[in-house]
Amino acid sequence: MTHTARRIGRSLALVLPVVLVLSGTLAVTMVPWADNSSQILTASAEDVSVPKKPAAPQDLLRDKLLGELQQGEQPGAVLTHLQQEVNGRPSLAEHCVSIARALGRAAVEAYGPTKAQSYARPVCDTSYATGVASMG
């Protein structure tokens, strides 16, 4: 019987502080001494700082290339940059199709379907043209 009591005691010793901290932290929703015009202090589980997961290389590349298009870079030059990146980092090859399609869609938004199609070339097969066609 004392062995069971010790086990329960150890479990409570580990769990109880965590429960008390979380319940105390999550219970605070508004401080009564703050007037309505001042900032209200709140606490919730969503406010806990969690390290941000680093973006995947293909997401970084897609965002970079879409940014180039948005800054006025010609789609042909952006497609060349995509091909260079894929050639330099073969691990990106499996994502080339989705990136090229995204570039095609963005080019249609920037240049219209006819002009965007004029930049099509065989980067990642015909994925850029597919992206253009899906928007046009």
Side-chain angles (χ1 to χ4, degrees), residues 8 11 22 43 45 49 53 59-61 71-72 74 76-77 83 93 104 109 121-122 127 129 134 136:
I8 291 171
S11 297
L22 288 176
S49 293
K53 191 174 166 184
D59 296 335
L60 293 172
L61 176 60
Q71 292 175 2
Q74 295 290 329
Q83 190 65 57
E109 291 177 14
R121 62 170 106 149
S127 301
S134 72

Side-chain angles (χ1 to χ4, degrees), residues 16-29 42-44:
L16 193 58
V18 173
V19 170
L20 291 174
V21 168
L22 288 176
S23 63
T25 303
L26 297 176
V28 177
T29 58
T42 61
S44 72

